[in-house]
Amino acid sequence: MNVRLQDRTRHFRTVAFNPARNAVQLIDQRLLPHRFAVVSTRDFRETARAIRDMTVRGAPAIAATAAYGLAQGARAFPGLSLKPFQRHLDLVEHTLAHARPTAVDPLNAMRNVRAAMAAARTVEEQQELALSAAEDFADASVEECRQIGRHGAPLIRAGARVLTHCNAGWLACVDIGTATAPLYAAQAQGRRFHVYCDETRPRCQGALLTAWELAQQGIPHEVIADNAAGHLMQRGEIDLIIVGSDRVLGRTGDIANKIGTYTKAVLAHRHGIPFYVAIPFSTIDWRLHSGRDIPIEERDEEEVLGTWGVITRPGERPAATARRVYVRTANPGSGARNPGFDVTPAELITGIITPLGLFKPRELWARRRQLGHE
Ligand code: MRU
């Protein structure tokens, strides 16, 4: 995706790899939209930390990060014996897999990398295959997002008012995005429309990241407080909702996504508004039988009890050098509960936008061979 930095426009992927340094390179999403910086992780533990602390976030983006992290860990192994190498790989995979529990994409991505490595006999060959498999995963993820855009674009009519939750844009992927892909494709086809970005408390991915992405792309948009969505739906001011997902159950069509997605889906159902979920193949979990079995990440209570931002006066543009600070907003001494995700049942979902086209949530299982189930 193109980013305007001072006077220049440059193309960036959210996640990349530097083979000479054996480093994973990440756009530091904790700093956006106030500062743009790319950071490098030097080993797989640092890569896992970057996933945990949300330097990088969004299911397909942490999947590519985990795939590169696995290659990074494999390439750092000094010996030539296969057995200790396999034990080392298990540790690397385990560390990366447990950085964040809800998204299935990192598990699927690392499974791909390990399957590709199994074709080689020596440690050296496996190290090479690990990196090429991680690169293949990242490239395929970009192409899948492009196809999601192609299939989803007809849903965005001229003048449409679209609501999205959290950030399922290019920052959440390697490039292009899932929920944003149909928007970018519709824009490229010359249609004008308006996007409402749910603020998405407590981390505010909508207000910080989606709004920044859409501004970079020149798409008209406004941030709304999470609580405003029902009001706009009731007044007929939202025509369509598109969100991403961290895990879609191939057996049932239930989906996990950022906390608050379920609320929006219930409201959309109440008001007869189409509710779509856009996903690449890596987001499908073919194993679990029920949405209740999806592990839901519980995050630090500080996220709910306060907020991060830069210091400025209301109505003023913050200075480029403004320092990022944490501000306590809740009652001192009160605690908080902070589930990061919720599960939206299949019956509330109009359609799943995949790289192969649109499906009803309950159609996924019947189409499993096409959709990549082995
Ligand atoms: O906690 P986050 O910011 O990683 O949550 C991200 C989301 O919930 C996205 O909607 C999801 O990962 C899909 S991204 C294409």
Side-chain angles (χ1 to χ4, degrees):
M1 185 56 68
N2 293 328
V3 181
R4 276 193 310 279
L5 295 171
Q6 279 111 30
D7 292 339
R8 287 198 319 146
T9 299
R10 276 185 59 191
H11 183 267
F12 285 90
R13 280 187 169 192
T14 307
V15 183
F17 192 78
N18 181 331
R21 297 202 165 149
N22 201 33
V24 183
Q25 293 179 318
L26 304 165
I27 293 175
D28 190 338
Q29 301 192 35
R30 297 165 309 171
L31 306 179
L32 287 170
H34 305 294
R35 242 185 84 203
F36 184 89
V38 174
V39 294
S40 289
T41 63
R42 284 165 304 182
D43 60 39
F44 73 90
R45 289 186 204 282
E46 265 189 31
T47 304
R49 209 171 308 131
I51 294 174
R52 198 172 318 116
D53 71 14
M54 294 176 68
T55 301
V56 58
R57 33 64 53 205
I62 61 173
T65 306
Y68 281 132
L70 183 54
Q72 179 184 41
R75 295 171 96 236
F77 182 78
L80 295 172
S81 324
L82 274 170
K83 268 227 168 95
F85 180 59
Q86 293 307 326
R87 278 200 300 274
H88 170 74
L89 287 179
D90 291 344
L91 169 73
V92 175
E93 187 175 353
H94 182 271
T95 307
L96 291 160
H98 285 80
R100 291 190 79 188
T102 301
V104 76
D105 305 59
L107 309 184
N108 286 334
M110 289 194 288
R111 194 175 308 129
N112 284 0
V113 172
R114 291 216 55 180
M117 291 170 78
R121 298 228 169 275
T122 68
V123 168
E124 222 175 5
E125 283 166 359
Q126 288 204 23
Q127 287 168 325
E128 263 172 46
L129 283 184
L131 183 54
S132 60
E135 294 285 13
D136 288 350
F137 177 85
D139 292 345
S141 185
V142 176
E143 184 49 33
E144 287 170 32
C145 288
R146 205 182 311 283
Q147 295 308 324
I148 290 169
R150 188 165 72 83
H151 294 295
L155 299 172
I156 319 290
R157 287 177 289 100
R161 293 149 307 171
V162 184
L163 176 73
T164 189
H165 190 68
C166 193
N167 172 265
W170 66 268
L171 287 165
C173 300
V174 179
D175 205 345
I176 302 173
T178 58
T180 52
L183 305 176
Y184 296 149
Q187 182 195 37
Q189 291 165 9
R191 292 197 287 288
R192 273 186 74 77
F193 49 86
H194 190 86
V195 181
Y196 289 112
C197 311
D198 275 341
E199 181 185 24
T200 320
R201 277 284 293 153
R203 292 286 299 217
C204 295
Q205 292 93 328
L208 304 178
L209 304 178
T210 306
W212 179 76
E213 258 194 62
L214 295 175
Q216 292 289 320
Q217 191 70 22
I219 291 184
H221 64 279
E222 285 169 299
V223 176
I224 59 167
D226 294 309
N227 293 335
H231 169 70
L232 294 184
M233 289 190 216
Q234 194 180 41
R235 295 280 166 109
E237 294 185 37
I238 290 174
D239 301 305
L240 175 76
I241 300 169
I242 310 184
V243 298
S245 172
D246 291 80
R247 195 182 291 237
V248 171
L249 299 199
R251 290 173 185 273
T252 66
D254 296 345
I255 72 114
N257 193 44
K258 179 52 53 195
I259 193 78
T261 302
Y262 170 57
T263 321
K264 301 298 142 64
V266 171
L267 283 164
H269 195 249
R270 168 85 171 81
H271 295 289
I273 297 167
F275 185 94
Y276 288 96
V277 181
I279 54 158
F281 299 130
S282 61
T283 305
I284 308 180
D285 178 330
W286 296 108
R287 294 176 185 198
L288 294 185
H289 287 254
S290 162
R292 287 196 83 86
D293 298 334
I294 298 175
I296 299 295
E297 180 181 12
E298 289 277 346
R299 295 190 58 85
D300 198 301
E301 64 173 12
E302 296 305 333
E303 293 183 349
V304 174
L305 298 172
T307 195
W308 285 265
V310 293
I311 294 173
T312 183
R313 286 179 210 283
E316 265 182 20
R317 234 187 143 83
T321 50
R323 207 161 47 88
R324 184 175 174 266
V325 291
Y326 175 78
V327 180
R328 170 83 182 203
T329 50
N331 176 50
S334 296
R337 176 85 195 274
N338 188 13
F341 298 89
D342 58 27
V343 176
T344 299
E347 68 260 25
L348 298 178
I349 300 166
T350 311
I352 311 269
I353 313 171
T354 76
L356 292 183
L358 260 73
F359 296 99
K360 290 279 171 208
R362 294 203 201 286
E363 258 184 290
L364 297 179
W365 185 247
R367 304 292 191 109
R368 61 190 176 280
R369 297 275 168 250
Q370 262 176 293
L371 290 166
H373 179 45
E374 291 124 25

